[in-house]
Coordinates of all heavy atoms in Angstrom, one line a residue:
M1 N 191.8 0.6 -110.7 CA 191.9 0.1 -109.4 C 191.4 -1.3 -109.3 O 190.4 -1.6 -109.9 CB 191.2 1.0 -108.4 CG 191.6 2.4 -108.3 SD 191.4 3.0 -106.7 CE 193.0 2.7 -106.0
G2 N 192.1 -2.1 -108.6 CA 191.6 -3.5 -108.5 C 190.7 -3.7 -107.3 O 190.9 -3.2 -106.3
E3 N 189.8 -4.6 -107.5 CA 189.0 -5.1 -106.4 C 188.9 -6.6 -106.6 O 188.8 -7.1 -107.7 CB 187.6 -4.5 -106.3 CG 186.7 -4.7 -107.5 CD 186.9 -3.7 -108.6 OE1 187.8 -2.9 -108.6 OE2 186.2 -3.8 -109.6
G4 N 189.1 -7.3 -105.5 CA 189.1 -8.8 -105.6 C 187.8 -9.5 -105.3 O 187.3 -9.4 -104.2
Y5 N 187.3 -10.1 -106.3 CA 186.1 -10.9 -106.1 C 186.5 -12.4 -105.9 O 187.3 -12.9 -106.6 CB 185.1 -10.8 -107.3 CG 184.5 -9.5 -107.5 CD1 184.9 -8.6 -108.4 CD2 183.4 -9.1 -106.7 CE1 184.3 -7.4 -108.6 CE2 182.8 -7.9 -106.8 CZ 183.3 -7.0 -107.8 OH 182.7 -5.8 -107.9
V6 N 185.9 -13.0 -104.9 CA 186.2 -14.4 -104.6 C 184.9 -15.1 -104.7 O 184.5 -15.7 -103.7 CB 186.9 -14.5 -103.2 CG1 187.3 -16.0 -103.0 CG2 188.0 -13.6 -103.0
G7 N 184.3 -15.0 -105.8 CA 183.0 -15.7 -106.0 C 181.9 -15.0 -105.2 O 182.1 -14.1 -104.4
I8 N 180.7 -15.4 -105.4 CA 179.5 -14.8 -104.8 C 179.5 -15.1 -103.3 O 179.0 -14.3 -102.5 CB 178.2 -15.3 -105.5 CG1 177.0 -14.5 -105.0 CG2 177.9 -16.8 -105.1 CD1 176.7 -13.5 -106.0
E9 N 180.1 -16.1 -102.8 CA 180.2 -16.5 -101.4 C 181.4 -15.8 -100.7 O 181.5 -15.9 -99.5 CB 180.2 -18.0 -101.2 CG 179.0 -18.7 -101.7 CD 177.7 -18.3 -101.0 OE1 177.8 -18.0 -99.8 OE2 176.7 -18.3 -101.7
G10 N 182.3 -15.2 -101.4 CA 183.5 -14.8 -100.8 C 183.5 -13.3 -100.4 O 182.4 -12.8 -100.1
E11 N 184.6 -12.7 -100.3 CA 184.8 -11.4 -99.8 C 185.4 -10.5 -100.9 O 186.3 -11.0 -101.6 CB 185.7 -11.4 -98.6 CG 185.8 -10.1 -97.9 CD 186.6 -10.2 -96.6 OE1 187.8 -10.4 -96.7 OE2 186.0 -10.1 -95.5
A12 N 185.0 -9.3 -101.1 CA 185.5 -8.4 -102.1 C 186.3 -7.3 -101.4 O 186.0 -6.9 -100.3 CB 184.4 -7.8 -102.9
T13 N 187.4 -6.9 -102.0 CA 188.2 -5.7 -101.5 C 188.0 -4.6 -102.5 O 188.2 -4.7 -103.7 CB 189.6 -6.1 -101.4 OG1 189.8 -7.3 -100.6 CG2 190.5 -5.0 -100.9
V14 N 187.5 -3.5 -101.9 CA 187.3 -2.3 -102.7 C 188.3 -1.2 -102.3 O 188.3 -0.8 -101.1 CB 185.9 -1.7 -102.6 CG1 185.7 -0.4 -103.4 CG2 184.8 -2.7 -103.0
H15 N 189.2 -0.9 -103.2 CA 190.3 0.1 -102.9 C 189.8 1.5 -103.1 O 189.1 1.8 -104.1 CB 191.5 -0.2 -103.7 CG 192.1 -1.5 -103.4 ND1 193.1 -1.7 -102.5 CD2 191.9 -2.8 -103.9 CE1 193.5 -3.0 -102.4 NE2 192.7 -3.7 -103.3
V16 N 190.3 2.4 -102.2 CA 189.9 3.8 -102.3 C 191.2 4.7 -102.3 O 192.1 4.3 -101.6 CB 189.1 4.3 -101.1 CG1 188.6 5.7 -101.2 CG2 187.9 3.3 -100.9
R17 N 191.2 5.7 -103.1 CA 192.3 6.7 -103.1 C 191.7 8.1 -103.0 O 190.8 8.4 -103.6 CB 193.1 6.6 -104.4 CG 194.4 7.5 -104.4 CD 195.3 7.2 -105.5 NE 195.8 5.8 -105.6 CZ 196.8 5.4 -104.8 NH1 197.4 6.2 -104.0 NH2 197.2 4.1 -104.9
F18 N 192.4 8.8 -102.1 CA 191.9 10.2 -101.8 C 192.8 11.2 -102.4 O 194.0 11.1 -102.4 CB 191.8 10.4 -100.3 CG 190.9 9.5 -99.6 CD1 191.3 8.2 -99.1 CD2 189.5 9.8 -99.5 CE1 190.4 7.4 -98.4 CE2 188.6 8.9 -98.8 CZ 189.1 7.7 -98.3
A19 N 192.2 12.4 -102.8 CA 192.9 13.5 -103.2 C 193.5 14.2 -102.0 O 193.0 14.0 -100.9 CB 192.0 14.5 -104.0
P20 N 194.5 15.1 -102.2 CA 195.0 15.8 -101.0 C 194.0 16.6 -100.2 O 194.1 16.8 -99.0 CB 196.0 16.8 -101.6 CG 196.5 16.1 -102.9 CD 195.2 15.4 -103.4
N21 N 192.9 17.0 -100.8 CA 191.8 17.8 -100.1 C 190.9 16.8 -99.4 O 189.9 17.3 -98.8 CB 191.1 18.7 -101.0 CG 190.2 18.0 -102.1 OD1 190.2 16.7 -102.1 ND2 189.6 18.7 -102.9
G22 N 191.1 15.5 -99.4 CA 190.2 14.6 -98.7 C 189.1 14.0 -99.6 O 188.4 13.1 -99.1
A23 N 188.9 14.5 -100.8 CA 187.8 14.0 -101.6 C 188.3 12.7 -102.2 O 189.5 12.4 -102.4 CB 187.5 15.0 -102.8
V24 N 187.3 11.8 -102.5 CA 187.7 10.5 -103.1 C 188.0 10.7 -104.6 O 187.2 11.3 -105.4 CB 186.5 9.5 -103.0 CG1 186.8 8.2 -103.7 CG2 186.2 9.3 -101.5
S25 N 189.2 10.3 -105.0 CA 189.6 10.5 -106.4 C 189.4 9.2 -107.2 O 189.1 9.2 -108.4 CB 191.0 11.0 -106.6 OG 191.9 10.0 -106.0
E26 N 189.5 8.0 -106.6 CA 189.4 6.8 -107.3 C 188.8 5.8 -106.3 O 189.1 5.8 -105.1 CB 190.7 6.2 -107.7 CG 191.4 7.0 -108.8 CD 192.8 6.4 -109.1 OE1 192.8 5.2 -109.3 OE2 193.7 7.2 -109.2
I27 N 187.9 4.9 -106.7 CA 187.4 3.8 -105.9 C 186.9 2.7 -106.8 O 186.4 2.9 -107.9 CB 186.2 4.3 -105.0 CG1 185.7 3.3 -104.0 CG2 185.1 4.9 -105.9 CD1 184.8 3.8 -102.9
G28 N 187.2 1.5 -106.4 CA 186.9 0.3 -107.2 C 185.4 -0.1 -107.0 O 184.7 0.3 -106.2
A29 N 185.0 -1.0 -108.0 CA 183.6 -1.6 -108.0 C 182.5 -0.5 -108.1 O 181.4 -0.8 -107.7 CB 183.4 -2.5 -106.8
R30 N 182.8 0.6 -108.6 CA 181.8 1.7 -108.7 C 180.7 1.4 -109.7 O 181.1 1.2 -110.9 CB 182.5 3.0 -109.0 CG 181.6 4.2 -109.0 CD 182.4 5.5 -108.9 NE 183.6 5.5 -109.8 CZ 183.6 6.2 -110.9 NH1 182.6 6.9 -111.3 NH2 184.7 6.2 -111.7
P31 N 179.5 1.5 -109.4 CA 178.4 1.4 -110.4 C 178.4 2.5 -111.4 O 178.8 3.7 -111.0 CB 177.1 1.4 -109.5 CG 177.5 1.2 -108.1 CD 178.9 1.7 -108.0
P32 N 178.0 2.3 -112.6 CA 177.9 3.3 -113.6 C 177.0 4.4 -113.1 O 176.0 4.2 -112.5 CB 177.3 2.6 -114.8 CG 177.5 1.2 -114.6 CD 177.6 1.0 -113.1
G33 N 177.3 5.6 -113.4 CA 176.5 6.8 -113.1 C 176.7 7.4 -111.7 O 176.1 8.4 -111.4
M34 N 177.6 6.8 -110.9 CA 177.9 7.3 -109.6 C 179.3 7.9 -109.6 O 180.2 7.3 -110.2 CB 177.9 6.2 -108.5 CG 176.5 5.7 -108.2 SD 176.5 4.7 -106.8 CE 176.2 5.9 -105.5
T35 N 179.5 9.0 -109.0 CA 180.8 9.6 -108.8 C 181.6 8.8 -107.8 O 181.0 8.1 -107.0 CB 180.7 11.1 -108.4 OG1 180.3 11.1 -107.0 CG2 179.9 11.9 -109.3
P36 N 182.9 8.9 -107.8 CA 183.7 8.2 -106.8 C 183.2 8.6 -105.3 O 183.1 7.8 -104.5 CB 185.1 8.7 -107.0 CG 185.2 8.9 -108.5 CD 183.8 9.5 -108.8
Q37 N 183.0 9.9 -105.1 CA 182.6 10.3 -103.8 C 181.2 9.7 -103.4 O 181.0 9.3 -102.3 CB 182.5 11.9 -103.7 CG 182.3 12.4 -102.3 CD 183.5 12.1 -101.4 OE1 184.6 12.5 -101.7 NE2 183.2 11.5 -100.3
E38 N 180.3 9.7 -104.3 CA 178.9 9.1 -104.1 C 179.0 7.7 -103.7 O 178.4 7.2 -102.7 CB 178.0 9.3 -105.3 CG 177.6 10.7 -105.5 CD 176.9 10.8 -106.9 OE1 177.1 10.0 -107.8 OE2 176.1 11.8 -107.0
W39 N 179.9 6.9 -104.4 CA 180.0 5.5 -104.1 C 180.7 5.3 -102.7 O 180.3 4.5 -101.9 CB 180.8 4.8 -105.2 CG 181.0 3.3 -105.1 CD1 182.2 2.7 -105.2 CD2 180.0 2.3 -104.9 NE1 182.0 1.3 -105.1 CE2 180.7 1.1 -104.8 CE3 178.6 2.4 -104.6 CZ2 180.0 -0.1 -104.6 CZ3 178.0 1.2 -104.4 CH2 178.6 -0.1 -104.4
F40 N 181.7 6.1 -102.4 CA 182.3 6.0 -101.1 C 181.3 6.3 -100.0 O 181.3 5.6 -99.0 CB 183.5 7.0 -101.0 CG 184.2 7.0 -99.7 CD1 185.1 6.0 -99.3 CD2 183.9 8.0 -98.7 CE1 185.7 6.0 -98.1 CE2 184.4 8.0 -97.5 CZ 185.4 7.0 -97.2
N41 N 180.5 7.4 -100.2 CA 179.5 7.7 -99.2 C 178.5 6.5 -99.0 O 178.1 6.2 -97.9 CB 178.7 9.0 -99.6 CG 179.6 10.2 -99.6 OD1 180.7 10.2 -99.1 ND2 179.2 11.3 -100.2
T42 N 178.1 5.9 -100.1 CA 177.2 4.8 -100.0 C 177.8 3.6 -99.2 O 177.2 3.1 -98.3 CB 176.8 4.3 -101.4 OG1 176.1 5.3 -102.1 CG2 175.9 3.0 -101.4
L43 N 179.0 3.3 -99.6 CA 179.7 2.2 -98.8 C 179.9 2.6 -97.4 O 179.8 1.7 -96.5 CB 181.1 1.9 -99.5 CG 181.0 1.3 -100.9 CD1 182.4 1.0 -101.5 CD2 180.2 -0.1 -100.9
S44 N 180.3 3.8 -97.1 CA 180.5 4.3 -95.7 C 179.2 4.2 -94.9 O 179.3 3.8 -93.7 CB 181.0 5.7 -95.7 OG 182.2 5.8 -96.3
R45 N 178.1 4.5 -95.5 CA 176.8 4.4 -94.7 C 176.4 2.9 -94.5 O 175.9 2.6 -93.4 CB 175.7 5.1 -95.5 CG 175.7 6.6 -95.4 CD 174.4 7.2 -96.0 NE 174.3 6.9 -97.4 CZ 174.8 7.7 -98.4 NH1 175.5 8.7 -98.1 NH2 174.6 7.3 -99.6
S46 N 176.7 2.1 -95.5 CA 176.2 0.7 -95.4 C 177.3 -0.3 -94.8 O 176.9 -1.3 -94.3 CB 175.9 0.2 -96.8 OG 174.9 1.0 -97.3
C47 N 178.5 0.1 -94.9 CA 179.6 -0.9 -94.5 C 180.7 -0.2 -93.7 O 181.9 -0.5 -93.9 CB 180.2 -1.5 -95.7 SG 179.0 -2.2 -96.8
A48 N 180.4 0.8 -92.9 CA 181.4 1.5 -92.1 C 182.4 0.6 -91.4 O 183.6 0.8 -91.3 CB 180.8 2.5 -91.2
D49 N 181.8 -0.5 -90.8 CA 182.6 -1.4 -90.0 C 183.6 -2.3 -90.9 O 184.4 -3.0 -90.4 CB 181.8 -2.3 -89.2 CG 180.8 -3.1 -90.0 OD1 180.4 -2.7 -91.1 OD2 180.4 -4.2 -89.5
C50 N 183.4 -2.2 -92.2 CA 184.3 -2.9 -93.2 C 185.4 -2.1 -93.7 O 186.2 -2.6 -94.5 CB 183.4 -3.4 -94.3 SG 182.1 -4.5 -93.8
Y51 N 185.5 -0.8 -93.3 CA 186.5 0.1 -93.9 C 187.8 0.1 -93.0 O 187.7 0.1 -91.8 CB 185.9 1.5 -93.9 CG 186.9 2.5 -94.5 CD1 187.2 2.5 -95.9 CD2 187.6 3.4 -93.7 CE1 188.1 3.4 -96.4 CE2 188.5 4.3 -94.2 CZ 188.8 4.3 -95.6 OH 189.7 5.1 -96.1
R52 N 188.9 0.2 -93.7 CA 190.2 0.3 -93.1 C 191.0 1.4 -93.7 O 191.2 1.4 -95.0 CB 190.9 -1.0 -93.2 CG 192.2 -1.0 -92.4 CD 192.8 -2.4 -92.4 NE 194.2 -2.3 -92.6 CZ 195.0 -3.3 -93.0 NH1 194.5 -4.5 -93.3 NH2 196.3 -3.1 -93.2
A53 N 191.4 2.4 -93.0 CA 192.3 3.5 -93.5 C 193.7 3.0 -93.7 O 194.2 2.2 -92.8 CB 192.2 4.7 -92.5
L54 N 194.3 3.4 -94.7 CA 195.7 3.0 -95.0 C 196.5 4.3 -95.2 O 196.0 5.4 -95.5 CB 195.8 2.2 -96.3 CG 195.0 0.9 -96.3 CD1 195.0 0.3 -97.7 CD2 195.6 -0.1 -95.3
P55 N 197.9 4.2 -95.0 CA 198.7 5.4 -95.2 C 198.7 5.9 -96.7 O 198.4 5.1 -97.6 CB 200.1 4.9 -94.7 CG 200.1 3.5 -94.8 CD 198.6 3.0 -94.6
G56 N 199.1 7.1 -96.9 CA 199.3 7.6 -98.2 C 198.0 8.0 -99.0 O 197.9 7.9 -100.2
G57 N 197.0 8.4 -98.2 CA 195.7 8.8 -98.8 C 195.0 7.6 -99.5 O 194.3 7.8 -100.5
R58 N 195.0 6.5 -98.8 CA 194.4 5.3 -99.3 C 193.5 4.6 -98.3 O 193.6 4.9 -97.1 CB 195.4 4.2 -99.8 CG 196.3 4.7 -100.9 CD 197.4 3.8 -101.3 NE 198.2 3.5 -100.1 CZ 198.5 2.2 -99.6 NH1 198.0 1.2 -100.2 NH2 199.2 2.1 -98.6
G59 N 192.6 3.7 -98.7 CA 191.8 3.0 -97.8 C 191.2 1.8 -98.5 O 191.4 1.7 -99.7
L60 N 190.6 0.9 -97.8 CA 189.9 -0.2 -98.4 C 188.7 -0.7 -97.6 O 188.6 -0.5 -96.4 CB 190.8 -1.3 -98.7 CG 191.6 -2.0 -97.6 CD1 190.7 -3.1 -96.9 CD2 192.8 -2.7 -98.1
F61 N 187.7 -1.2 -98.3 CA 186.6 -1.9 -97.7 C 186.7 -3.3 -98.0 O 187.0 -3.7 -99.1 CB 185.3 -1.4 -98.4 CG 184.9 0.0 -98.1 CD1 185.3 1.1 -98.9 CD2 184.0 0.3 -97.0 CE1 184.9 2.4 -98.6 CE2 183.6 1.5 -96.7 CZ 184.0 2.6 -97.5
K62 N 186.5 -4.2 -97.0 CA 186.5 -5.6 -97.2 C 185.0 -6.0 -96.9 O 184.5 -5.9 -95.8 CB 187.4 -6.3 -96.2 CG 188.8 -6.2 -96.6 CD 189.5 -7.5 -96.2 CE 190.9 -7.4 -96.8 NZ 191.1 -8.4 -97.8
I63 N 184.3 -6.3 -98.0 CA 182.8 -6.5 -98.0 C 182.5 -7.9 -98.5 O 183.1 -8.4 -99.5 CB 182.2 -5.5 -98.8 CG1 182.6 -4.0 -98.5 CG2 180.6 -5.6 -98.8 CD1 182.2 -3.0 -99.4
E64 N 181.5 -8.5 -97.9 CA 181.0 -9.8 -98.5 C 180.5 -9.5 -99.9 O 179.9 -8.5 -100.2 CB 179.8 -10.3 -97.7 CG 180.2 -10.8 -96.3 CD 178.9 -11.3 -95.6 OE1 178.0 -11.7 -96.2 OE2 179.0 -11.3 -94.3
S65 N 180.9 -10.4 -100.8 CA 180.6 -10.2 -102.2 C 179.1 -10.0 -102.4 O 178.7 -9.2 -103.2 CB 181.0 -11.4 -103.0 OG 182.4 -11.5 -103.0
R66 N 178.2 -10.8 -101.7 CA 176.8 -10.6 -101.9 C 176.3 -9.2 -101.5 O 175.5 -8.6 -102.2 CB 176.0 -11.6 -101.0 CG 176.1 -13.0 -101.5 CD 175.2 -13.9 -100.6 NE 175.4 -15.3 -100.9 CZ 174.7 -15.9 -101.9 NH1 173.7 -15.3 -102.5 NH2 174.8 -17.2 -102.1
K67 N 176.9 -8.7 -100.4 CA 176.5 -7.3 -100.0 C 177.0 -6.3 -101.0 O 176.2 -5.4 -101.3 CB 177.2 -7.1 -98.6 CG 176.9 -5.7 -98.1 CD 175.5 -5.5 -97.6 CE 175.4 -4.1 -96.9 NZ 174.0 -3.9 -96.5
L68 N 178.2 -6.5 -101.6 CA 178.7 -5.5 -102.6 C 177.8 -5.5 -103.8 O 177.4 -4.5 -104.3 CB 180.1 -5.9 -102.9 CG 180.7 -4.9 -104.0 CD1 180.7 -3.5 -103.5 CD2 182.1 -5.4 -104.3
I69 N 177.4 -6.7 -104.3 CA 176.5 -6.8 -105.5 C 175.2 -6.2 -105.2 O 174.7 -5.5 -106.0 CB 176.4 -8.3 -105.9 CG1 177.7 -8.8 -106.4 CG2 175.3 -8.5 -106.9 CD1 177.8 -10.3 -106.6
E70 N 174.7 -6.4 -104.0 CA 173.4 -5.8 -103.6 C 173.5 -4.3 -103.6 O 172.6 -3.6 -104.2 CB 173.0 -6.2 -102.2 CG 171.7 -5.6 -101.7 CD 171.4 -6.1 -100.3 OE1 171.6 -7.2 -99.9 OE2 171.1 -5.2 -99.4
L71 N 174.6 -3.7 -103.1 CA 174.8 -2.3 -103.1 C 175.0 -1.7 -104.5 O 174.4 -0.7 -104.8 CB 176.0 -1.9 -102.2 CG 175.7 -2.1 -100.7 CD1 177.1 -2.0 -100.0 CD2 174.8 -1.0 -100.2
Q72 N 175.7 -2.4 -105.3 CA 175.9 -2.0 -106.7 C 174.6 -1.9 -107.5 O 174.4 -1.0 -108.3 CB 176.9 -2.9 -107.4 CG 178.3 -2.7 -106.9 CD 179.2 -3.8 -107.5 OE1 178.8 -5.0 -107.6 NE2 180.4 -3.4 -107.9
T73 N 173.8 -2.9 -107.2 CA 172.5 -3.0 -107.9 C 171.5 -2.0 -107.5 O 170.8 -1.4 -108.3 CB 171.9 -4.4 -107.7 OG1 172.8 -5.4 -108.1 CG2 170.6 -4.6 -108.5
H74 N 171.5 -1.7 -106.2 CA 170.5 -0.7 -105.7 C 171.0 0.7 -105.5 O 170.2 1.5 -105.1 CB 170.0 -1.3 -104.4 CG 169.2 -2.5 -104.5 ND1 169.8 -3.7 -104.8 CD2 167.9 -2.8 -104.4 CE1 168.9 -4.7 -104.9 NE2 167.7 -4.1 -104.7
S75 N 172.2 1.0 -105.9 CA 172.8 2.3 -105.6 C 173.1 2.9 -107.0 O 174.2 2.9 -107.5 CB 174.1 2.2 -104.8 OG 173.9 1.6 -103.6
K76 N 172.1 3.5 -107.5 CA 172.2 4.3 -108.8 C 172.1 5.7 -108.5 O 171.2 6.2 -107.8 CB 171.2 3.8 -109.8 CG 171.1 2.3 -110.1 CD 172.3 1.9 -110.8 CE 172.2 0.4 -111.2 NZ 173.4 -0.3 -111.3
A77 N 173.0 6.5 -109.1 CA 172.9 8.0 -109.0 C 171.7 8.5 -109.7 O 171.3 8.1 -110.8 CB 174.2 8.6 -109.5
D78 N 171.0 9.4 -109.1 CA 169.8 10.1 -109.7 C 170.2 11.3 -110.5 O 171.1 11.9 -110.2 CB 168.8 10.4 -108.6 CG 168.2 9.1 -108.0 OD1 168.1 8.1 -108.6 OD2 168.0 9.2 -106.7

């Protein structure tokens, strides 16, 4: 899945794809050690206002690149 980085000052797009049962099957920019669902939950808690639902079981987050990097760095699965 692609996610667009526009430098550290720009905005990143994180694409999400859902399974028919509503679980997250794919998500971009996921830190190592996190499941797709865990990463989606993290982004949803921190950036809910940045999420946009799309048709066909898809969605996307448009997040400031700095915020995304911060979340990736501090969001490690235990």
Side-chain angles (χ1 to χ4, degrees):
M1 297 212 92
E3 62 274 5
Y5 290 102
V6 186
I8 193 100
E9 298 296 328
E11 188 175 70
T13 302
V14 178
H15 295 269
V16 184
R17 185 169 300 278
F18 298 92
N21 68 359
V24 177
S25 60
E26 298 176 44
I27 187 167
R30 184 166 43 106
M34 292 192 86
T35 68
Q37 188 67 55
E38 288 170 336
W39 183 229
F40 178 81
N41 293 346
T42 297
L43 293 177
S44 295
R45 282 190 298 272
S46 300
C47 308
D49 59 332
C50 301
Y51 181 75
R52 184 171 140 198
L54 299 173
R58 300 173 301 125
L60 60 84
F61 289 91
K62 286 214 173 248
I63 306 169
E64 289 182 26
S65 293
R66 286 184 188 273
K67 177 73 172 177
L68 180 61
I69 291 167
E70 177 185 317
L71 288 168
Q72 289 171 319
T73 303
H74 293 71
S75 299
K76 305 290 184 207
D78 295 324

